[in-house]
Amino acid sequence: MTTTDPLAERFPVRFWAVEDLRGLDFDPFMAERLRDEPVSRVKLPNGEGHAWFVTRYEDVKFVTSDPRFSRQAVLGRPITRLAPHFIPLDEAVGFADPPEHTRLRKAVARAFTARSLDQLRPGAQQAADELLDEMEQEGPPADLMEHLHGPLPLAVISDLMGVPPADRPRMAQWTNIVLSAAPGREASETAKNEMAAYFTHLLDERRAEPREDLAGDLAAAVGEGELSTEEAVAIALLIQASAAHAVRNNSANMVYALLTHPEHMARLRAEPDLLPQAIEELLRYIPHRNAVGLPRVATEDVEVAGVPIRAGDVVHSSYLTANRDPEVFDRPDELDFDRRNNPHLSFGHGPHFCLGSMLARLESEVMLGTLLRRFPRLRLAEPPEKIRWQRQALIRGPENLPVTW
């Protein structure tokens, strides 16, 4: 007797190749699903089987906050995904559900309070000034990825973590491998294991000689029995890699957006107080990643927008499509610095809302504000179509960003 899937005709499984896109082009597959099939079934280039794909704003909020959709249940399952490997280590906060997730997150939350981050701003501003001093001295044209967007986020998160300057090039290399689908599973797992070994050693050093940095906080949490060493190392790896890589790419995407929307850039120069609001709109507008992020598994039967999801089904949701939902955002495909209602989901939603959201905003304000003040004639040094974009990246961004002034 043949068993048929009663949902197969209504929800055919669509293969999503996730092609490399240029610039800030929005993935047409995502746009089609949002418009025509907001809850669909997809198969991605790696992993096995298929998954539900949820695109609308309210449905994405539901899936990412309802406890019936579990992150921990993903462990050990070869689910369909973009990368050939999973990014976090198994013990990371990214694979936990409450109350375990709450316990893990609490161990580092104090490093990301508004008060703690305000103390980082002067150092971030000084670093930006020094980097741009060097760029200005060398003269145009210059690559902003090399002179600003690469080194600044790496320096800020490394200072917060306690990674010394001599080790930062190695950290950047590991991160680039881990956060890309291109190097393959073996290379990515090797880089992840080498990072884990590095942070294991760093936490050992902090236990022997405590310091006031995030590695010191994690070492203290291990000493007090709040975290295991494996959990602390997994948290350190995830924060270091994601903070440096995501802010590097997304801040570069923001500058590219301004350089290709000169009227928006001119307005920010004329109205510098608009910058925080503009950054929120840039966060909403920019498709900052390829495909989807954290998958979840339904732990019981549940409906999403009237669609039956069975216990054990894998569910992917898209913050990018949620940010383009016309039911929530007027003219969602336009970059609008006057947008007042902007409850974007660029930093996620629910228990896994990005812990570093305020840090990312701070760094973006520093980088964009400093560029606008110091280089009133900043412009692309090459036509937009000649700029190279990272291939098979999980977090989208340019390889180079040549400018002149």
Side-chain angles (χ1 to χ4, degrees):
M1 177 174 153
T2 303
T3 302
T4 59
D5 182 352
L7 296 175
E9 185 174 347
R10 184 180 170 197
F11 299 100
V13 176
R14 304 181 189 280
F15 180 68
W16 185 6
V18 193
E19 303 288 348
D20 287 317
L21 299 168
R22 287 196 55 80
L24 303 180
D25 292 348
F26 199 80
D27 189 321
F29 183 91
M30 283 184 164
E32 288 171 6
R33 300 284 74 70
L34 174 63
R35 183 186 65 236
D36 301 332
E37 196 180 16
V39 180
S40 59
R41 297 201 295 184
V42 298
K43 179 174 176 56
L44 287 153
N46 287 287
E48 299 175 8
H50 59 264
W52 292 100
F53 180 39
V54 177
T55 57
R56 285 184 179 165
Y57 186 91
E58 292 299 334
D59 299 334
V60 169
K61 286 179 66 178
F62 173 65
V63 168
T64 53
S65 60
D66 191 288
R68 291 173 292 182
F69 295 99
S70 168
R71 278 291 295 150
Q72 191 166 357
V74 170
L75 282 173
R77 291 189 57 173
I79 63 169
T80 188
R81 58 192 185 273
L82 174 58
H85 61 289
F86 286 116
I87 306 306
L89 294 170
D90 288 355
E91 297 83 8
V93 64
F95 275 131
D97 297 325
E100 279 295 287
H101 176 270
T102 308
R103 174 182 66 83
L104 296 172
R105 192 173 172 116
K106 184 179 178 182
V108 294
R110 59 181 173 267
F112 292 94
T113 62
R115 182 177 179 182
S116 297
L117 295 178
D118 279 344
Q119 296 172 357
L120 292 176
R121 186 181 287 271
Q125 185 62 63
Q126 180 180 348
D129 289 336
E130 291 173 354
L131 288 165
L132 293 176
D133 284 345
E134 294 176 7
M135 184 178 88
E136 194 167 17
Q137 288 167 10
E138 290 185 19
D143 182 1
L144 282 178
M145 299 306 292
E146 176 186 345
H147 286 280
L148 181 65
H149 298 294
L152 183 68
L154 179 62
V156 170
I157 192 59
S158 296
D159 284 342
L160 181 65
M161 182 67 68
V163 174
D167 294 338
R168 293 173 190 179
R170 200 167 26 145
M171 199 63 66
Q173 184 180 19
W174 284 328
T175 298
N176 289 340
I177 294 172
V178 170
L179 288 172
S180 173
R185 183 185 183 94
E186 184 176 348
S188 299
E189 292 295 343
T190 297
K192 204 160 60 167
N193 291 336
E194 289 174 353
M195 282 187 79
Y198 177 91
F199 281 117
T200 300
H201 178 70
L202 184 62
L203 294 185
D204 286 342
E205 288 185 344
R206 291 297 183 272
R207 279 195 288 270
E209 297 181 19
R211 293 187 193 176
E212 292 186 0
D213 52 31
L214 189 49
D217 292 344
L218 289 168
V222 173
E224 293 164 10
E226 297 173 3
L227 296 174
S228 69
T229 298
E230 292 77 14
E231 289 169 340
V233 166
I235 290 170
L237 187 154
L238 189 60
I239 290 174
Q240 175 76 34
S242 58
H245 195 81
V247 176
R248 179 191 74 177
N249 286 356
N250 215 27
S251 64
N253 289 335
M254 289 182 183
V255 172
Y256 175 84
L258 293 178
L259 292 169
T260 53
H261 293 77
E263 69 284 2
H264 289 73
M265 178 173 268
R267 185 175 177 195
L268 282 183
R269 286 202 179 98
E271 303 175 50
D273 290 344
L274 186 64
L275 183 59
Q277 182 172 316
I279 285 175
E280 293 306 308
E281 173 65 354
L282 288 163
L283 286 165
R284 183 203 68 82
Y285 173 79
I286 290 168
H288 63 274
R289 67 162 297 120
N290 284 317
V292 284
L294 305 179
R296 291 165 173 82
V297 172
T299 57
E300 58 183 82
D301 292 351
V302 59
E303 284 194 358
V304 177
V307 176
I309 310 292
R310 302 188 191 97
D313 282 359
V314 176
V315 182
H316 284 293
S317 54
S318 172
Y319 296 126
L320 303 188
T321 54
N323 286 345
R324 299 290 182 108
D325 189 339
E327 295 295 317
V328 179
F329 303 98
D330 293 333
R331 296 168 286 103
D333 296 326
E334 295 181 20
L335 183 63
D336 180 7
F337 289 169
D338 289 317
R339 193 181 300 278
R340 298 294 178 180
N341 180 38
N342 192 4
H344 66 77
L345 301 182
S346 298
F347 291 113
H349 181 70
H352 289 273
F353 180 85
C354 178
L355 193 63
S357 61
M358 288 192 294
L359 178 60
R361 288 182 169 103
L362 181 156
E363 293 177 79
S364 297
E365 284 187 22
V366 167
M367 283 186 271
L368 270 65
T370 307
L371 281 171
L372 290 167
R373 286 194 305 272
R374 292 189 54 165
F375 300 95
R377 298 182 62 202
L378 188 74
R379 59 196 184 276
L380 287 173
E382 296 181 2
E385 59 270 17
K386 289 194 173 182
I387 292 174
R388 301 188 308 274
W389 292 80
Q390 296 172 42
R391 298 180 60 80
Q392 292 187 274
L394 305 186
I395 307 297
R396 287 176 61 177
E399 279 188 7
N400 68 328
L401 192 55
V403 294
T404 189
W405 56 89

